[in-house]
Amino acid sequence: MSLEESTPETVEQTTAEEIDALLGDLVIDRDDHLNAPGFVVRPDEVQDTLFRLRDEAGYDHLSCVTAQEYEDRYESIYHLKKYDDPTDEVSVVVPTPTDDPVSESAEPVYRTADWHEREAYDLVGVQYEDHPDLRRILLPETWQGHPLGRDYDQDRPQIVPLREHANPLQEDHQSDAGDTMFLNIGPHHPATHGVLHLKTVLDGEQVVDVESDIGYLHRCEEQICQQGTYRYQIMPYPDRWDYISAGLLNEWAYARVAEDLADIDVPEYAQVIRTMGAELCRIAAHMLAVGTFALDVYGDFTAIFMYAVRDREKVQNILEEMTGQRLMFNYFRLGGVVWDLPEPREDFFELIRDFLDDLPEALEEYHDLISANEILQVRTVDTGVLPPEVAKSYGATGPVARGSGIDYDLRRDDPYGYYDELDWDVPVEDGCDNYSRLLVRLREVEESAKIIEQCVDLLEDWPEDERTIQSNVPRTIRPDDDTEIYRAVEGAKGELGIYVRADGTEKPARFKIRSPCFSNLQTLPEMSNGEYIPDLIASLGSLDIVLGEVDR
């Protein structure tokens, strides 16, 4: 954190006893998790519970919703935090019987529950009363069964009725009234880093409504992780969630939750290496975001896009020297990293310093070509507006939230690694528009460079006999049965969290991924309704989503 900035005011945390008193008779049981106290409530009291926690205790961030099925019940867990202090957490646990898995929807309290509960219904089978649009979100409407349910038959053939093969556009070009037109955008868009289908309703050239159709890439990452052992078999997969550049940031999300679950320490030397590698990944991710954003806004496939790819390649070269891979790094290990920095160390540090020395001039070029560009300003200033309270209701995080004036960054607010020992700032812009999100990413590249430079200084002087890259980790990790934990890190796109429930074996019983892209993409209609089609494309680009992380 910056030593120049004033220290934020300390926010007093709400104790479990205070929450218990606040909720009163709504609580029917307690179910403490490692990260937060858990309060069990009846399925018909969900909204009352969440309204009290949001309005009277300040839990304004519904971070994640996890659904799972036990032998005797279904369970929905609402992971709540505060934007002012994300370490102040509480879990609301809602059990429902297996023969009637119905509970109240949280959507009237937190808008982000819309998509999270649709996913829980789609994959697990929990029904949510009062939900505004409870239907599948990742799988086709014709899908039979719920893949994460206990009785799901993977070998059952999926039958698609003939009517589903009808041309979806046949009756949708124009409504009977003639005032609106339906327009499909996608499912292949050049800058979405995957496939996305936007079902858009237009009034002339203005957007009346837009619905994001996701789920094309679904790779069952959560189930893959549930079939892998904690120590050896899960770590390679986080690289593949945001497969563009953010591999080490994703690996850290799993490392943090597993290390806290199994009470594993990480040597200080390895923490510095992790911090440096993670910020290199953040720069690489933001370079691609900036380059493709310019491509989205005014079709710049020449100077800006190629400059961004050029600078991203320099980062990839450093990461390749460090990890042996260019994208799927698999460099973190529980308790540290897989190996030390490459030899000769002097050459490696020189490679990083050369990149950092050139970066200020490169960033000046970006500002000349992008942020100072009149065309881009006309297209991005005051377009895609996302007010801070709306962003909070949707659980927006990362540059999307910070571009709306929300000062929320887990590296500072819920410290891990070596971040709290370093001097850096959290960039925040209050324009709430597409331009602000661009500025935040450019400024974050500068801050990442400051962090990397300090890490290099530390690593250069680190005594050779104290370079411990891993702690002593048991060969087999078996957390206690029914242990539950949720942990998150600040990914390139925002809060990347993981919930794990252990069952006493060496594999997780439930592995739930909280993707920042999933929550951020949900804000697109709020940003686009009433604006023009090109503004919709600019807003989509400003979210910097990776579809592999959206549907996981």
Side-chain angles (χ1 to χ4, degrees):
M1 292 175 289
S2 172
L3 302 178
E4 299 172 0
E5 297 289 333
S6 59
T7 305
E9 291 184 9
T10 302
V11 179
E12 192 170 337
Q13 294 202 339
T14 309
T15 65
E17 290 71 25
E18 290 172 332
I19 296 172
D20 209 5
L22 174 67
L23 298 181
D25 294 340
L26 295 176
V27 178
I28 58 175
D29 201 356
R30 289 287 300 273
D31 186 15
D32 288 343
H33 301 170
L34 288 185
N35 62 297
F39 294 87
V40 183
V41 303
R42 291 194 301 272
D44 58 346
E45 302 282 10
V46 173
Q47 292 176 14
D48 280 349
T49 303
L50 296 181
F51 271 126
R52 286 191 198 180
L53 289 171
R54 188 195 69 178
D55 298 337
E56 299 180 39
Y59 291 97
D60 54 354
H61 180 23
L62 174 56
S63 179
C64 185
V65 178
T66 303
Q68 50 193 326
E69 184 181 1
Y70 292 81
E71 287 186 6
D72 60 342
R73 68 186 187 280
Y74 286 90
E75 195 173 88
S76 301
I77 305 173
Y78 297 89
H79 305 267
L80 303 180
K81 294 184 176 183
K82 296 178 180 177
Y83 274 100
D84 288 339
D85 180 7
T87 63
D88 193 349
E89 303 175 72
V90 62
S91 298
V92 175
V93 182
V94 187
T96 51
T98 54
D99 58 349
D100 187 25
V102 181
S103 70
E104 275 188 345
S105 170
E107 196 276 342
V109 191
Y110 303 96
R111 294 296 311 279
T112 190
D114 184 344
W115 277 23
H116 284 276
E117 289 179 343
R118 281 180 62 188
E119 181 182 323
Y121 160 72
D122 190 358
L123 299 183
V124 183
V126 181
Q127 305 265 351
Y128 296 94
E129 284 185 334
D130 296 337
H131 191 285
D133 188 20
L134 190 64
R135 56 191 169 88
R136 293 187 183 275
I137 187 170
L138 297 176
L139 297 170
E141 280 298 316
T142 57
W143 201 266
Q144 299 167 71
H146 304 279
L148 296 187
R150 292 172 62 86
D151 61 350
Y152 181 70
D153 181 4
Q154 296 186 27
D155 298 325
R156 179 182 181 182
Q158 296 293 325
I159 301 171
V160 180
L162 185 61
R163 60 182 170 78
E164 299 299 334
H165 293 295
N167 180 1
L169 304 180
Q170 195 169 10
E171 299 177 357
D172 290 331
H173 282 298
Q174 196 163 359
S175 69
D176 293 338
D179 294 331
T180 60
M181 182 176 74
F182 183 86
L183 178 67
N184 283 292
I185 300 177
H188 298 285
H189 189 276
T192 55
H193 314 168
V195 286
L196 173 68
H197 173 201
L198 297 181
K199 300 173 183 176
T200 314
V201 178
L202 304 175
D203 182 359
E205 292 188 19
Q206 286 184 296
V207 178
V208 176
D209 188 29
V210 58
E211 178 190 342
S212 306
D213 184 1
I214 62 175
Y216 291 89
L217 291 180
H218 199 65
R219 295 164 295 164
C220 307
E221 292 282 359
E222 293 177 359
Q223 276 207 313
I224 288 174
C225 292
Q226 287 171 198
Q227 295 168 3
T229 57
Y230 288 105
R231 178 160 184 189
Y232 296 109
Q233 294 177 328
I234 296 177
M235 188 58 82
Y237 290 103
D239 283 315
R240 288 153 174 80
W241 304 341
D242 174 357
Y243 45 76
I244 301 298
S245 308
L248 296 184
L249 295 160
N250 297 3
E251 290 177 22
W252 209 335
Y254 172 64
R256 191 178 190 200
V257 72
E259 285 161 359
D260 284 359
L261 180 66
D263 196 20
I264 297 170
D265 292 326
V266 180
E268 194 174 16
Y269 178 68
Q271 294 282 26
V272 180
I273 294 177
R274 283 182 172 189
T275 305
M276 181 182 70
E279 293 312 304
L280 286 166
C281 282
R282 194 179 311 277
I283 291 178
H286 283 356
M287 286 294 176
L288 194 62
V290 168
T292 52
F293 184 63
L295 177 64
D296 282 341
V297 173
Y298 55 97
D300 192 325
F301 193 69
T302 52
I304 299 170
F305 183 82
M306 300 309 289
Y307 284 9
V309 170
R310 173 201 64 189
D311 291 326
R312 179 172 174 271
E313 281 294 296
K314 294 178 182 176
V315 180
Q316 296 298 127
N317 290 339
I318 297 170
L319 289 167
E320 185 177 11
E321 287 289 321
M322 183 174 166
T323 68
Q325 305 290 333
R326 291 186 73 81
L327 282 176
M328 307 301 164
F329 305 112
N330 191 21
Y331 181 66
F332 279 26
R333 293 292 180 273
L334 299 189
V337 295
V338 63
W339 50 60
D340 200 353
L341 300 177
E343 296 286 353
R345 292 166 66 91
E346 294 76 15
D347 291 352
F348 178 67
F349 291 135
E350 185 178 354
L351 184 65
I352 299 176
R353 289 198 183 282
D354 287 345
F355 169 70
L356 296 178
D357 290 343
D358 294 339
L359 193 58
E361 184 177 348
L363 285 171
E364 192 174 339
E365 279 183 328
Y366 290 125
H367 281 293
D368 289 342
L369 290 168
I370 308 177
S371 59
N373 185 303
E374 186 177 348
I375 298 173
L376 185 134
Q377 289 182 2
V378 169
R379 294 285 313 281
T380 58
V381 174
D382 292 334
T383 63
V385 174
L386 185 67
E389 292 309 313
V390 177
K392 288 181 178 179
S393 183
Y394 279 98
T397 53
V400 175
R402 292 190 284 275
S404 290
I406 301 172
D407 191 8
Y408 180 81
D409 190 314
L410 292 177
R411 294 174 292 174
R412 178 200 61 194
D413 301 330
D414 184 12
Y416 56 94
Y418 213 73
Y419 288 110
D420 57 348
E421 302 290 334
L422 304 174
D423 179 16
W424 59 285
D425 295 317
V426 176
V428 176
E429 295 285 338
D430 57 7
C432 307
D433 52 16
N434 292 326
Y435 190 67
S436 292
R437 292 184 276 278
L438 169 68
L439 290 183
V440 166
R441 291 194 178 91
L442 287 172
R443 290 178 58 196
E444 285 188 1
V445 170
E446 297 176 33
E447 297 303 319
S448 293
K450 285 166 61 177
I451 294 171
I452 294 167
E453 187 171 22
Q454 293 171 73
C455 290
V456 170
D457 290 342
L458 290 165
L459 293 169
E460 278 182 327
D461 298 333
W462 211 278
E464 188 171 353
D465 55 356
E466 296 178 13
R467 295 173 189 167
T468 307
I469 59 169
Q470 281 191 48
S471 58
N472 188 18
V473 179
R475 182 180 295 273
T476 302
I477 296 174
R478 290 192 179 89
D480 294 339
D481 185 20
D482 212 26
T483 307
E484 299 174 62
I485 186 171
Y486 174 80
R487 280 280 183 265
V489 299
E490 189 68 31
K493 276 70 174 170
E495 179 181 330
L496 176 59
I498 296 173
Y499 162 85
V500 172
R501 175 171 63 85
D503 60 359
T505 69
E506 58 185 323
K507 299 177 182 178
R510 182 74 170 99
F511 192 99
K512 166 69 180 175
I513 305 165
R514 192 272 183 195
S515 152
C517 292
F518 183 77
S519 294
N520 289 347
L521 179 58
Q522 203 176 349
T523 65
L524 185 62
E526 292 284 347
M527 299 161 61
S528 304
N529 291 349
E531 301 207 343
Y532 293 99
I533 301 174
D535 300 328
L536 164 68
I537 302 303
S539 298
L540 177 60
S542 77
L543 292 176
D544 184 30
I545 56 167
V546 169
L547 268 299
E549 193 185 270
V550 170
D551 63 6
R552 293 148 276 133

